[in-house]
Structures are given as C-alpha cells and as structure tokens.
Amino acid sequence: MRKIAVITSGGDAPGMNAAVRSVVRTAIHEDMEVYGVVRGYNGLINDELVPMELRSVSDIIHRGGTTLFTARSPEFRTEEGMQKAVATCKRRGIEGVVVIGGDGSFRGARDLTARGIPCVTIPATIDNDISCCEATIGYDTAANTVIDMVDKLRDTSQSHDRCSVVEVMGRHAGWLTMSAGIAVGATSILVPEVPYDFQKDIVDKMKMSSATGKHHFIIMVAEGIGHVDELAKRIEEATGVETRATILGHVQRGGNPTARDRILASRMGNYAVHLLLQGKSNRVVAIKKDQLVDYDITEALDMKKPFDMDMYRMANEISI
Ligand code: F6P
C-alpha cells in the first residue's frame, strides 16, 4: 500500500488533529503518499483532497476541532454518494483510508470497504460510546471541560444556596455526564442508560443532604434526558430550593486536547497506518487495559457497551 487518505468525520472531538498528525507522519515515515480529505465523506464525494506533507500537520497537536473540517454526510449514506466516493479513490489511486470519528463514521468505513476501498477507523467522540473501546479520543478533554465549567457554576450556586441543573452532551450516552458528575461531586446524575425516579433520586437526596447542612446542589443531566428547564422548575417546587438550569452545549466539544487525548490519538493514528500496511482492512482501532487492539468493524458495531453500573452505584453512595 503506497497511497492512503485520512478523513475526520461526524461530530468533531478534541484530539482529532493529533490523530491526523500521527497518521500523516507515520505514513510519510513509511514512504507512503498521504492525502487529507476535506469535510468528512463529502470530501470523497466531491473530490476535495489535499496532499499532506510533514509540515502540513505542524502546530496542530494542541488544537481542538479538526483542521481537515468534518461533516455528517447524508449523501454518503446513498449508493450513488458511495459510488462517487469510490470513484474518487480509484481515480486518485487511494489504496486505503483512515477514518477518524464515531460509530456513524464506522458504518461509512464498513460500506466503503465492502465496495473495494480498504478502511481502518479510529474512535474519536466525546460520547465514549464505542463498545469495543475503553476510551475514545476527545472524551477525557470533554470531561475536563465540563468539570471546569461546573466548578464555576458551583461558586455561584454555593453563594446563593441554589440548585444547578446542568445539561451535558450525549443524546444516547451518559458516560460524559457520569464521569464529570463524579468529578464535580454532583448530588444526582441522570443518564439515558438508567431510569430514574424524580422523588427518590433527586428530591429525597436533596432533602437528606439539606438536613445535614448542605445548601447548594448540582444535578447533572445527560442531553438524552433533556428538559432541564422543566426539571429545574419541578425541583424548585418540590424542594423550595431556588433552582437554575444551564445547558453547556457545544463548548464541550472544543478546546485543547488533554495529554491523555493527545497521546491516545498519536498511538491510534500510528497503529491504524500499520494495520493498513499489514494488509488489514475493515478494522476499528481500540484500547483495552492500555494496550492497542483492533476489531472487525461489523463485529464492533454489533457489540453492546454495558453502562458502568458499579461506577454509577459508587457515585450515588458518596453523593449523600
Ligand atoms: O456525538 C457527539 C455529540 O456531541 C453528542 O454528544 C451530541 O448529542 C451530538 O454530537 C450533537 O450533534 P450536533 O453537533 O450535530 O448537533
């Protein structure tokens, strides 16, 4: 394999740039030619590819977002769109593609591989919802960003004896909400994976800790649960504690990647190129007990990621 391309696709995640840099540098180290695809799979459909040199990826290891831009591409989900992408790869002589993104991007990579373009994927999403992988690129940075913001909210909440209901990103996944919730000492953590009882899990807990002298509260709510304004009103009515809702929003996806994410991204990018060099395709790079491993994309997409109920139980036990 002598000519490959690298794509960032789906929601951006801090550390994507570090992964692109690692792919580009590894490929050049191995005497390969490497192209950057602009704006996710749309770049393959529209033939927007840029040749990458060693210096094309200078000064990006520390930057959030993705300098290759990204997109969710509805056109790529159609047969016509995919055929255009395949035609671009064939015309350009692209023999392999590294796709950096979440599970939606993995489906695209699986479909592209099935049409004769070998792909390897690298998990990058703040949601940490890739079943075969213990930590995705961007998750650690986003958790630290949420912690930073909630620490600031706590100052004002504490000063006013208020309750803050905080919405954290994650339509289908509560990992970010739970990890940040533990780290900020939230009273309650609500995630899509675990049903909750308004009275028992919020009101009673607030009343109990109020009786022991606590007067401000943080309730962390995953985006998938939603309705934080309504929830704040209900909490105020049921407890008498003045309550405000805050939606953190897309700020959670930005910012400089942490050391953990930069290193993870660098390792995964390097591993992905070596997989292609070994003639492997349709693989997901993953990390397990700090070792890099790889899985078949189709098998990885079928795996379920059980929510960490032990961690969730622990969070509840110490949030009294
Ligand atoms: O997948 C990452 C993520 O940030 C989710 O947490 C969130 O639900 C979704 O993307 C938001 O997507 P968009 O930026 O397209 O609105």
Side-chain angles (χ1 to χ4, degrees):
M1 187 163 297
R2 297 271 51 98
K3 205 189 266 189
I4 65 167
V6 56
I7 303 184
T8 51
S9 161
D12 63 308
M16 276 184 162
N17 283 324
V20 170
R21 173 181 179 272
S22 174
V23 168
V24 169
R25 296 263 169 101
T26 305
I28 293 173
H29 178 264
E30 297 296 334
D31 290 326
M32 298 161 101
E33 251 184 90
V34 55
Y35 284 82
V37 180
V38 182
R39 295 193 174 80
Y41 288 112
N42 287 340
L44 279 187
I45 293 171
N46 304 323
D47 195 7
E48 261 198 276
L49 272 67
V50 287
M52 305 294 273
E53 309 295 341
L54 286 177
R55 300 279 76 80
S56 321
V57 289
S58 292
D59 295 325
I60 66 167
I61 193 166
H62 63 296
R63 285 175 60 188
T66 160
T67 52
L68 283 180
F69 299 89
T70 186
R72 305 190 198 272
S73 173
E75 194 183 350
F76 189 71
R77 279 182 228 127
T78 66
E79 188 56 40
E80 205 189 332
M82 258 181 291
Q83 288 305 337
K84 283 188 197 166
V86 171
T88 300
C89 291
K90 297 238 157 101
R91 198 168 48 248
R92 296 263 196 171
I94 303 289
E95 296 163 297
V97 181
V98 178
V99 179
I100 304 165
D103 55 359
S105 312
F106 293 5
R107 282 188 200 97
R110 174 200 59 195
D111 296 344
L112 204 53
T113 306
R115 284 160 185 76
I117 310 295
C119 293
V120 168
T121 62
I122 296 178
T125 162
I126 65 164
D127 291 347
N128 197 32
D129 59 348
I130 302 298
S131 310
C132 64
C133 190
E134 284 172 0
T136 56
I137 296 168
Y139 171 56
D140 185 62
T141 307
N144 280 290
T145 302
V146 174
I147 291 166
D148 243 30
M149 293 191 288
V150 178
D151 284 351
K152 291 186 169 88
L153 267 179
R154 178 194 283 269
D155 289 343
T156 159
S157 234
Q158 176 266 319
S159 306
H160 285 265
D161 290 331
R162 276 179 181 161
C163 171
S164 268
V165 178
V166 186
E167 186 187 292
V168 176
M169 270 190 155
R171 267 195 289 254
H172 308 291
W175 294 90
L176 184 58
T177 309
M178 179 171 69
S179 57
I182 291 169
V184 299
T187 299
S188 307
I189 300 174
L190 311 184
V191 293
E193 293 89 342
V194 190
Y196 75 96
D197 181 286
F198 176 71
Q199 186 64 35
K200 182 171 132 298
D201 297 320
I202 303 176
V203 178
D204 291 352
K205 283 187 85 178
M206 283 176 66
K207 286 191 172 160
M208 261 163 54
S209 42
S210 191
T212 56
K214 186 174 172 69
H215 301 301
H216 64 278
F217 308 88
I218 307 277
I219 312 293
M220 299 287 271
V221 183
E223 185 188 353
I225 303 274
H227 310 297
V228 283
D229 284 317
E230 199 184 301
L231 194 60
K233 259 194 220 127
R234 282 181 75 197
I235 292 173
E236 188 163 309
E237 278 162 21
T239 63
V241 178
E242 207 180 1
T243 304
R244 296 283 188 270
T246 304
I247 298 176
L248 300 179
H250 283 79
V251 73
Q252 294 163 90
R253 286 227 300 252
N256 302 352
T258 56
R260 188 183 281 258
D261 277 332
R262 293 180 201 196
I263 294 165
L264 181 65
S266 301
R267 291 175 70 191
M268 285 183 163
N270 179 263
Y271 190 92
V273 174
H274 284 288
L275 284 178
L276 285 176
L277 276 169
Q278 290 158 27
K280 297 198 178 157
S281 72
N282 208 43
R283 308 298 291 173
V284 181
V285 179
I287 188 144
K288 228 179 167 181
K289 296 188 172 42
D290 205 37
Q291 295 302 310
L292 292 179
V293 288
D294 54 281
Y295 294 89
D296 179 82
I297 297 182
T298 316
E299 279 171 25
L301 285 170
D302 283 344
M303 289 179 192
K304 293 273 165 287
K305 185 167 190 163
F307 197 64
D308 192 338
M309 289 309 292
D310 196 43
M311 191 84 100
Y312 192 75
R313 174 202 54 76
M314 179 281 292
N316 272 314
E317 269 185 31
I318 62 171
S319 61
I320 48 177

